[in-house]
Amino acid sequence: MTEQAARNWLSSHDGAIPALEVHHRRALEVLEDHTCTIADLADVISLDPGMSVSVYREVNGKLHRSGKTFVDSIHSALGLLGDSAIADLVLQHKVLNETHPDALRRQSYHQLLSRSYHLRAQLDRFVSFQGIRTVNEIRSAALLHNVGEFCACLFDHDQYQKYQEKFRSLGSDANSARPVFGFNFHELGRIYAEDCYLPDLVIESLDENIPTGRKARLIQLAADLSHQAEVGWYHSSMKATEEVCAAYLNQSLEGFEKHLQQVAIECARSSPFDDVMPAASRLIMLPDRDPPPKHPPAPITGSEAAGQQFENRVKALLGSNNPGQAHFMDLLLGHLHDDLHLNRVALLLLSPDGTKLGTRAGKGIDEHSPIRTLVIDITGAGLIRSLLPKSQALWIEPERYRRYEAALPGKFKSAFLHESFFLMSMHVSGRPVGLVYADRWRGINRLDKVTYIKFKSAILLTGRALTYCDRHKQQSTT
């Protein structure tokens, strides 16, 4: 299992994350300034992953041994330490410039922290949209969301450079660390977080499926967005991520994109680093700025072409006479099955009274399969029911299936009999109409992040097309 590979790696690459010199120096200044408070020091430490981990290890480690509940913010943690303990922790903490004198490794870590600060900046805006007032907990967890990648970068930089090469060639695929390390950074981060007694919200946000908690989900969304921005702002995966974020936050896509870009610019202006490429710098990297090719461009192939073809087919259907919901649904299922190579695809629609989900159509499903006659009462279907209020997706992997098994309806589990699948709710005119299920049952290839993004993007596009038809129909009858 990849989780065991992550444990093995961590056992042979154990070490403390050093503090950044700029934050360590500022923390020392606050300690020496008698007009400053514990809150002032917490504000500084909350910007530094290394010192944050040390504080949690010290405070939550003691709470764990005494059977007490962990603290979830640096501000709360420092309140439980005496003045001398706080001073010792800061004074004795290692600094990056001393522990890692090679400039290339420091630059990689600075770039990674630049992404983490961009994550926090976007998260602050998401939090304001959601009306969340207590921010110390969520901001502290957000800083440590990339803690697995921090470790890989600092403790095994040669391998991390190989990962970066794959990242640049594959795009922002979070699982592209597996071919290099044998695990992904979220798996490593969860293990490291447990070992260092980091807050539960850090671990929850590192779950690769949709968590039940709103704060963890907001961290995930901001993390996906900041990760996509490492490649650029105008590629299809970024657009799909923006659409998912906007839908979750109930924001119009056009206005939301402007918010995202403005936040990135503000974050770049306040960056403490002069050796990184902040996310905002990629805003000017428009296609028309590229030099003209010396040779004709190669034709687009693979899933990228399939995505463009699907969008064109949706637009063509919109331009036809009186397209029905069934036409769009059939187009969607065909795209997921034939273009994205998802072996089994099922459309489960809500009953008129909204109490049941039943299979209406599918692709790759055996004629006598119980999936075809599946009807689920959603009043007791915890996990499935939680997907319906907003346009949300879920990716279950075999390694995480046990965690969610109890929350899945028995009829659902017995019909599909599979532990790895995508599931997403579809909304039309702001109302849920059902769920789309997809897996690679008996397939050679596992589900992957790129396919997951394209799966979500296709369902969002279909929902928008149906919303357009719905509004057009309402206007024509008035």
Side-chain angles (χ1 to χ4, degrees):
M1 288 178 60
T2 56
E3 187 171 311
Q4 186 58 49
R7 291 188 183 278
N8 293 340
W9 182 93
L10 195 58
S11 66
S12 60
H13 294 83
D14 190 23
I17 297 175
L20 284 178
E21 197 275 337
V22 61
H23 296 144
H24 191 255
R25 183 177 64 251
R26 178 59 186 146
L28 292 175
E29 291 172 353
V30 171
L31 284 175
E32 294 173 359
D33 188 341
H34 297 297
T35 65
C36 292
T37 65
I38 291 292
D40 295 324
L41 181 60
D43 288 341
V44 177
I45 293 178
S46 294
L47 291 172
D48 190 88
M51 287 192 288
S52 293
V53 169
S54 294
V55 169
Y56 284 128
R57 191 197 296 263
E58 176 71 18
V59 175
N60 284 340
K62 291 181 179 178
L63 293 174
H64 172 73
R65 289 186 288 275
S66 60
K68 296 180 181 178
T69 304
F70 286 4
V71 295
D72 53 20
S73 73
I74 297 299
H75 292 73
S76 299
L78 291 186
L80 298 179
L81 286 176
D83 291 346
S84 60
I86 293 173
D88 287 344
L89 189 147
V90 174
L91 288 168
Q92 296 172 14
H93 207 286
K94 303 290 186 179
V95 180
L96 180 66
N97 291 3
E98 300 169 351
T99 59
H100 297 88
D102 49 316
L104 188 58
R105 189 187 312 241
R106 292 202 309 272
Q107 192 276 331
S108 295
Y109 186 56
H110 290 169
Q111 184 67 52
L112 185 51
L113 278 184
S114 178
R115 188 210 305 170
S116 297
Y117 293 152
H118 182 213
L119 187 167
R120 285 211 346 172
Q122 296 292 356
L123 179 65
D124 285 345
R125 186 62 61 93
F126 292 0
V127 164
S128 68
F129 287 148
Q130 293 281 291
I132 298 174
R133 295 183 179 179
T134 54
V135 298
N136 287 337
E137 172 198 5
I138 191 170
R139 297 186 88 218
S140 182
L143 180 76
L144 297 173
H145 181 79
N146 293 318
V147 69
E149 194 167 349
F150 294 159
C151 293
C153 172
L154 291 171
F155 307 149
D156 197 355
H157 190 249
D158 289 341
Q159 286 293 96
Y160 185 72
Q161 285 181 292
K162 295 178 182 178
Y163 155 74
Q164 287 183 307
E165 292 173 4
K166 279 195 169 290
F167 177 82
R168 285 189 286 267
S169 64
L170 296 177
S172 44
D173 172 11
N175 288 328
S176 59
R178 274 203 181 109
V180 177
F181 285 94
F183 50 81
N184 68 44
F185 294 141
H186 285 175
E187 290 170 325
L188 182 63
R190 288 193 298 268
I191 295 167
Y192 186 85
E194 291 169 358
D195 290 349
C196 294
Y197 309 107
L198 301 187
D200 291 340
L201 184 55
V202 177
I203 299 172
E204 187 182 1
S205 76
L206 288 169
D207 192 322
E208 291 169 283
N209 296 301
I210 292 181
T212 55
R214 179 174 56 154
K215 291 180 179 180
R217 182 58 180 149
L218 290 174
I219 293 173
Q220 283 187 347
L221 293 174
D224 284 348
L225 189 107
S226 63
H227 204 227
Q228 299 291 351
E230 291 290 290
V231 176
W233 291 84
Y234 308 106
H235 55 92
S236 59
S237 295
M238 171 60 99
K239 293 301 180 185
T241 301
E242 289 176 349
E243 290 171 356
V244 172
C245 291
Y248 186 86
L249 297 166
N250 292 321
Q251 300 292 312
S252 69
L253 186 58
E254 182 179 359
F256 185 65
E257 287 177 340
K258 293 179 180 178
H259 278 304
L260 297 178
Q261 295 179 10
Q262 185 59 44
V263 169
I265 292 171
E266 293 170 358
C267 182
R269 288 173 177 165
S270 60
S271 173
F273 308 114
D274 57 9
D275 59 347
V276 304
M277 189 174 185
S281 65
R282 298 177 185 87
L283 287 170
I284 63 172
M285 292 182 177
L286 299 173
D288 61 357
R289 290 180 178 268
D290 294 335
K294 296 180 180 179
H295 304 287
I300 298 174
T301 58
S303 60
E304 191 72 25
Q308 292 182 6
Q309 291 168 6
F310 175 66
E311 184 174 347
N312 291 336
R313 291 197 293 267
V314 170
K315 291 178 180 178
L317 187 55
L318 281 172
S320 63
N321 291 327
N322 299 319
Q325 184 184 78
H327 296 96
F328 286 101
M329 295 302 192
D330 187 62
L331 194 63
L332 170 66
L333 297 182
H335 170 62
L336 299 178
H337 181 266
D338 301 333
D339 299 332
L340 301 188
H341 308 294
L342 294 161
N343 303 121
R344 293 191 304 183
V345 182
L347 172 67
L348 289 75
L349 293 185
L350 278 169
S351 60
D353 62 2
T355 62
K356 293 179 174 62
L357 275 169
T359 304
R360 183 64 59 87
K363 296 281 187 180
I365 298 172
D366 185 82
E367 182 180 354
H368 303 293
S369 171
I371 297 172
R372 290 188 175 273
T373 56
L374 178 63
V375 177
I376 301 171
D377 184 347
I378 68 167
T379 56
L383 188 59
I384 288 179
R385 187 178 182 183
S386 69
L387 290 175
L388 291 171
K390 294 184 178 181
S391 185
Q392 303 178 85
L394 180 70
W395 175 6
I396 297 285
E397 291 188 288
E399 296 88 348
R400 312 295 293 171
Y401 180 79
R402 294 288 177 268
R403 179 171 179 179
Y404 295 93
E405 184 179 12
L408 290 168
K411 287 185 177 180
F412 177 93
K413 290 183 287 188
S414 62
F416 289 103
L417 283 177
H418 202 51
E419 298 184 358
S420 178
F421 55 85
F422 297 153
L423 195 64
M424 182 169 179
S425 58
M426 178 181 289
H427 281 232
V428 176
S429 299
R431 301 184 304 274
V433 297
L435 295 172
V436 179
Y437 171 98
D439 65 26
R440 281 184 173 151
W441 183 63
R442 293 182 177 174
I444 298 174
N445 297 323
R446 289 183 55 159
L447 298 175
D448 58 86
K449 184 67 176 288
V450 172
T451 305
Y452 183 50
I453 291 172
K454 294 183 183 299
F455 168 80
K456 294 187 291 184
S457 180
I459 295 171
L460 286 169
L461 178 60
T462 304
R464 289 203 306 271
L466 289 169
T467 297
Y468 174 83
C469 291
D470 190 38
R471 291 174 181 172
H472 182 71
K473 183 177 180 180
Q474 292 175 7
Q475 292 171 358
S476 62
T477 57
T478 56

